[in-house]
Amino acid sequence: TQLLKQSPQFLSIQEGENLTVYCNSSSVFSSLQWYRQEPGEGPVLLVTVVTGGEVKKLKRLTFQFGDARKDSSLHITAAQPGDTGLYLCASAYSGAGSYQLTFGKGTKLSVIP
Amino acid sequence: NAGVTQTPKFQVLKTGQSMTLQCAQDMNHEYMSWYRQDPGMGLRLIHYSVGAGITDQGEVPNGYNVSRSTTEDFPLRLLSAAPSQTSVYFCASSLRRQRNYGYTFGSGTRLTVV
């Protein structure tokens, strides 16, 4: 089982600012997923990255997978109040012939209007 | 709308009571799982299933049972509720048990054991 460390744990910013959150592991990821969770709801998948160095964009969100596949970052440009939520990274690992997802503890983002 | 449906949304139990948390998906997903989410602990895997009739334990299985008689349903049973089982429970499913496939989560069941 991989241990995923997310930083920062909490982040409070003003609307319009840029921000980056991080997900790191001492082990190599086979793949990495990012989710956003709003209060009272389940996590919602944002993106899956599988190739070292991969960059994916989703509107104002940019996801990067480290070359060594041990780290990933999520950058938000011009944050909006609708971006508020808990951002979770999750890594796949193999066990008993299938893969399981291990989740980090998340970064709680608050965007203040 | 297609997705993962969890019931009930909220539940209060007394210590020692039993109950079943329901989970159903209509996406013909092969893989289903149960997680619990606690402050400071993140999401932890309780049990999972790779298909009808096949289940296995996750990281924190003690005190919980599961079964999967159909592709659509994956109920979670609390045998004798304890205060330590107070948590938010999420059911999640995935089309395939492969690393490229993301999970679809239900909206959760908030359980309080008193």
Side-chain angles (χ1 to χ4, degrees):
Chain A
T1 304
Q2 294 183 342
L3 288 176
L4 301 179
K5 183 176 180 181
Q6 290 191 244
S7 61
Q9 188 176 359
F10 300 98
L11 188 57
S12 181
I13 63 171
Q14 295 289 329
E15 181 176 0
E17 292 183 347
N18 301 333
L19 67 114
T20 303
V21 299
Y22 301 92
C23 177
N24 296 281
S25 172
S26 58
S27 303
V28 173
F29 298 127
S30 61
S31 68
L32 193 93
Q33 299 175 1
W34 284 93
Y35 292 79
R36 179 169 63 210
Q37 184 179 18
E38 298 183 11
E41 298 295 328
V44 176
L45 178 69
L46 296 174
V47 76
T48 299
V49 286
V50 297
T51 304
E54 186 174 4
V55 177
K56 284 192 174 181
K57 293 190 175 183
L58 185 65
K59 297 183 180 178
R60 293 176 294 100
L61 279 60
T62 301
F63 304 87
Q64 193 154 8
F65 201 16
D67 291 339
R69 291 162 52 206
K70 289 187 175 182
D71 59 274
S72 181
S73 64
L74 160 58
H75 180 80
I76 301 179
T77 303
Q80 299 178 0
D83 296 326
T84 293
L86 179 67
Y87 287 83
L88 297 162
C89 66
S91 171
Y93 70 94
S94 295
S98 67
Y99 91 98
Q100 312 299 337
L101 278 187
T102 299
F103 285 83
K105 294 182 180 180
T107 293
K108 190 171 184 179
L109 172 65
S110 296
V111 181
I112 303 166
Chain B
N1 292 336
V4 177
T5 302
Q6 289 186 240
T7 56
K9 184 77 172 177
F10 301 95
Q11 183 71 49
V12 178
L13 288 179
K14 294 183 178 179
T15 297
Q17 287 184 321
S18 62
M19 79 159 293
T20 299
L21 279 63
Q22 301 292 342
C23 175
Q25 54 90 8
D26 58 2
M27 300 172 285
N28 200 31
H29 281 183
E30 177 180 286
Y31 181 88
M32 297 185 74
S33 56
W34 278 100
Y35 286 84
R36 59 178 291 174
Q37 187 174 38
D38 302 290
M41 300 295 292
L43 284 158
R44 292 182 291 170
L45 181 64
I46 305 172
H47 284 285
Y48 65 94
S49 168
V50 298
I54 307 170
T55 63
D56 207 345
Q57 297 180 350
E59 180 185 355
V60 288
N62 292 340
Y64 308 95
N65 273 354
V66 292
S67 60
R68 187 143 177 226
S69 56
T70 67
T71 300
E72 294 79 19
D73 299 300
F74 191 44
L76 177 72
R77 298 182 190 84
L78 279 69
L79 309 174
S80 177
S84 61
Q85 293 179 304
T86 293
S87 186
V88 182
Y89 291 85
F90 288 101
C91 179
S93 71
S94 180
L95 181 62
R96 296 286 183 267
R97 47 175 172 143
Q98 295 172 10
R99 65 185 182 133
N100 292 357
Y101 289 90
Y103 282 15
T104 300
F105 281 83
S107 58
T109 294
R110 184 175 293 274
L111 175 67
T112 302
V113 182
V114 299

